Amino acid sequence: MRSIEHHHGLVVARAKGIYSFSHLTFHEYFTAREFVVVRQSSEEALQNLVSHITEKRWQEVFLLAVGMSPSADRLLLLIKEKIDAILSKHENLLYFITWVNQKSISVKVPFTTLTVREFYIDFDYEFNFDFSLNNYLTKSESELDFESESNRDNFDYAIRDGLKNSFDSAINGLKKSRFLLLNRLNFFSTEDEEPLRHLSLHADEFEVDNALISALNHSRKLAFAASTVSKFKIGSQLSYALNRAITSTSDYELQRSLRRFKQQIPDPDKDRGIFKTLWRANGKSWVEKLKLLLISYRNIGHEWHFTDEQKEIFKQYYDAHKILISCLNSDCYVSREVRQQIEDTLLLPIAEIKQRQQQS
């Protein structure tokens, strides 16, 4: 043991006569082996394993465990059940994910349902997630067409390069692809719009909702921001976002309502003298009026008032999905039926999943 420690560095003496492996990989391997080989994937062992799905340091253990399993079906289904249950005790988060599902069903866009769900999760200004889940799954033909048309500035190469590398590299490749595409756009887009922009460019309903939520966020800044903020610039961004929504939507009533709203608020380029004064006096009521328009016509703009704890719970829920998809795409055996069942219900509320199971 002393020779191995000194010459190979595989183990390290922790105390007299007590050694441990020096590298985390050994710990991860033998932990996975304990569940799958030693305990022979018993129900108790697998339930014990999936209880760690929200712990980031267990990610490699899950990948190793599904790879060691002759069939990963049971383990993957247990992981999915555990992830779905994460939000079960948080009513506000359940309302949110239910709204995401309802909103996703209501729009007609050339993307998979998972992409649409992610779009509207990222859509909420209280969360700050990068798109990543759908990039590990098989894309629809229309999505592949969209990517091939959008890669003139290495858009496609950045994503494909990421997909060929590790989990983290895939995310970095996606971020790079967005940056390359967004740099080509001469819009008033702000940082909070960037994760959505490349999708909304190729789907009218995404574009309308993206423009409207951008307008709502700018109006909130004008009504509540400190005096040090450049309100004239924000006012121009608000005007631009409203124009985007008006020109993108085919809903005549929504167009008319947005034009009426736009006429009520001061134009910073024409009424600069009274711009700040009017926003200070009427800003809160204008924000409320715009919010009601968004809810009424597009079912967006809801305020969820998540607590810090709820935000952390939802992040655990989202990150656990990343681990699950990494397992699905690892070198493991999973039946076509189980794979399809998991992919079809990613990011769905548990009530909707149970309803689908009853119907099938």
Side-chain angles (χ1 to χ4, degrees):
M1 293 295 291
R2 285 196 299 271
S3 176
I4 293 174
E5 178 186 13
H6 290 301
H7 296 291
H8 303 286
L10 296 179
V11 295
V12 177
R14 301 299 183 184
K16 186 175 181 180
I18 298 176
Y19 292 83
S20 70
F21 288 108
S22 59
H23 200 282
L24 184 61
T25 301
F26 291 102
H27 295 270
E28 293 167 338
Y29 170 79
F30 284 111
T31 300
R33 190 177 185 278
E34 174 70 17
F35 288 109
V36 176
V37 179
V38 179
R39 301 189 192 180
Q40 298 183 335
S41 297
S42 67
E43 188 70 12
E44 181 184 0
L46 294 183
Q47 290 284 1
N48 189 353
L49 175 58
V50 300
S51 68
H52 299 282
I53 191 61
T54 59
E55 299 173 47
K56 191 174 181 179
R57 68 194 185 106
W58 281 72
Q59 177 176 331
E60 194 63 32
V61 176
F62 282 104
L63 292 170
L64 289 166
V66 296
M68 290 179 187
S69 302
S71 171
D73 283 3
R74 182 59 185 156
L75 176 53
L76 288 169
L77 288 172
L78 286 175
I79 293 173
K80 182 66 167 60
E81 289 176 13
K82 189 68 176 179
I83 293 172
D84 293 334
I86 291 174
L87 306 184
S88 60
K89 297 180 181 179
H90 301 271
E91 190 173 344
N92 210 21
L93 293 174
L94 287 175
Y95 283 144
F96 173 70
I97 202 69
T98 300
W99 167 79
V100 168
N101 180 48
Q102 292 171 345
K103 179 62 184 176
S104 301
I105 294 170
S106 71
V107 297
K108 295 181 180 179
V109 291
F111 300 104
T112 64
T113 53
L114 178 57
T115 299
V116 182
R117 289 172 203 154
E118 282 202 280
F119 180 88
Y120 286 106
I121 287 174
D122 198 80
F123 199 64
D124 192 274
Y125 69 95
E126 295 191 54
F127 295 120
N128 184 25
F129 298 129
D130 288 323
F131 292 112
S132 58
L133 300 187
N134 196 54
N135 295 289
Y136 298 96
L137 300 176
T138 303
K139 295 182 176 65
S140 68
E141 185 176 342
S142 59
E143 283 179 297
L144 293 172
D145 290 342
F146 155 67
E147 288 185 0
S148 65
E149 291 170 2
S150 305
N151 69 4
R152 292 185 183 89
D153 287 315
N154 293 325
F155 181 84
D156 186 59
Y157 296 109
I159 292 181
R160 292 190 181 189
D161 184 61
L163 289 172
K164 289 178 182 177
N165 294 308
S166 65
F167 182 78
D168 290 334
S169 296
I171 295 176
N172 291 333
L174 184 60
K175 288 180 178 178
K176 179 182 177 183
S177 69
R178 288 193 198 128
F179 177 77
L180 291 168
L181 180 60
L182 290 163
N183 272 349
R184 294 167 50 214
L185 307 175
N186 295 317
F187 291 121
F188 285 102
S189 49
T190 56
E191 290 182 3
D192 57 325
E193 295 176 59
E194 290 185 3
L196 312 177
R197 193 67 179 128
H198 75 283
L199 287 181
S200 62
L201 283 170
H202 289 260
D204 289 342
E205 292 208 60
F206 276 178
E207 173 66 0
V208 173
D209 286 345
N210 189 15
L212 287 173
I213 208 69
S214 175
L216 182 61
N217 290 338
H218 289 318
S219 66
R220 284 182 175 133
K221 291 177 184 177
L222 286 170
F224 303 106
S227 57
T228 54
V229 176
S230 176
K231 293 196 173 183
F232 297 121
K233 180 180 179 181
I234 297 174
S236 295
Q237 292 172 332
L238 168 59
S239 179
Y240 169 73
L242 289 172
N243 286 334
R244 273 175 54 201
I246 291 169
T247 57
S248 299
T249 184
S250 58
D251 186 333
Y252 174 74
E253 290 299 323
L254 175 57
Q255 282 182 339
R256 187 171 65 172
S257 296
L258 290 173
R259 287 194 177 99
R260 286 177 178 174
F261 176 79
K262 193 169 182 291
Q263 289 171 355
Q264 293 174 15
I265 61 176
D267 187 332
D269 297 324
K270 297 178 181 178
D271 307 311
R272 180 164 288 211
I274 61 172
F275 180 81
K276 289 184 179 180
T277 304
L278 288 177
W279 268 102
R280 192 179 300 115
N282 305 304
K284 292 181 181 179
S285 65
W286 285 339
V287 169
E288 190 64 23
K289 184 177 292 186
L290 182 58
K291 184 181 78 173
L292 292 176
L293 274 176
L294 268 59
I295 293 173
S296 175
Y297 285 99
R298 298 295 303 175
N299 189 22
I300 58 174
H302 304 278
E303 294 186 67
W304 302 100
H305 302 293
F306 297 121
T307 65
D308 290 340
E309 179 190 7
Q310 288 172 331
K311 292 177 185 178
E312 180 57 32
I313 292 294
F314 198 85
K315 187 176 188 307
Q316 291 177 4
Y317 171 78
Y318 193 83
D319 288 345
H321 274 87
K322 293 181 180 179
I323 296 176
L324 174 58
I325 291 179
S326 292
C327 289
L328 278 174
N329 288 341
S330 66
D331 187 19
C332 70
Y333 173 79
V334 53
S335 67
R336 182 179 300 177
E337 293 77 17
V338 168
R339 176 182 289 275
Q340 195 64 52
Q341 177 184 339
I342 291 173
E343 291 183 2
D344 289 345
T345 57
L346 290 168
L347 299 176
L348 270 184
I350 194 166
E352 175 68 19
I353 295 171
K354 288 181 178 179
Q355 183 178 344
R356 291 188 179 196
Q357 290 172 344
Q358 291 172 355
Q359 291 174 347
S360 60

